[in-house]
Amino acid sequence: MDNNHNVIKLHKLKNPLNELLKQCAQQLLSQAIEAEVKSLLNNFMSLQANGRQGVVRNGHLPEPHLLTRLGDINRQSPKDWI
């Protein structure tokens, strides 16, 4: 058989609107999580252990991937430590 053919492999084009929506969803999710952590820290600000603040921010967890209709969304989840 002859392997010469006129078939061209097409690559899926990224839709700019979907990319924008995906970025906005990532931002909104990050902002919501950040607001929740700030609220938690504020609610427990008075909690003390050995003269230190009892609940503190402690970096970020590994980025989980959320599968949405727009594709995978990466997000950072802040860690708190009690």
Side-chain angles (χ1 to χ4, degrees):
M1 268 197 148
D2 187 6
N3 286 336
N4 293 330
H5 48 72
N6 292 331
V7 177
I8 299 172
K9 185 175 181 177
L10 296 176
H11 298 283
K12 185 176 180 184
L13 297 176
K14 290 187 177 185
N15 182 335
L17 181 58
N18 280 350
E19 290 301 311
L20 178 64
L21 289 171
K22 185 176 168 181
Q23 288 174 1
C24 289
Q26 247 174 315
Q27 261 186 323
L28 285 173
L29 186 57
S30 293
Q31 289 172 351
I33 292 170
E34 187 64 32
E36 188 175 345
V37 169
K38 283 182 182 180
S39 175
L40 175 86
L41 293 173
N42 287 336
N43 288 339
F44 292 100
M45 190 182 300
S46 62
L47 184 64
Q48 300 254 328
N50 299 327
R52 294 181 165 177
Q53 191 171 345
V55 180
V56 295
R57 180 179 293 273
N58 189 23
H60 289 89
L61 296 169
E63 288 188 3
H65 300 278
L66 297 176
L67 183 59
T68 69
R69 292 185 83 191
L70 299 171
D72 281 345
I73 294 179
N74 300 329
R75 64 179 176 88
Q76 280 191 335
S77 296
K79 286 195 293 188
D80 49 16
W81 185 49
I82 300 174

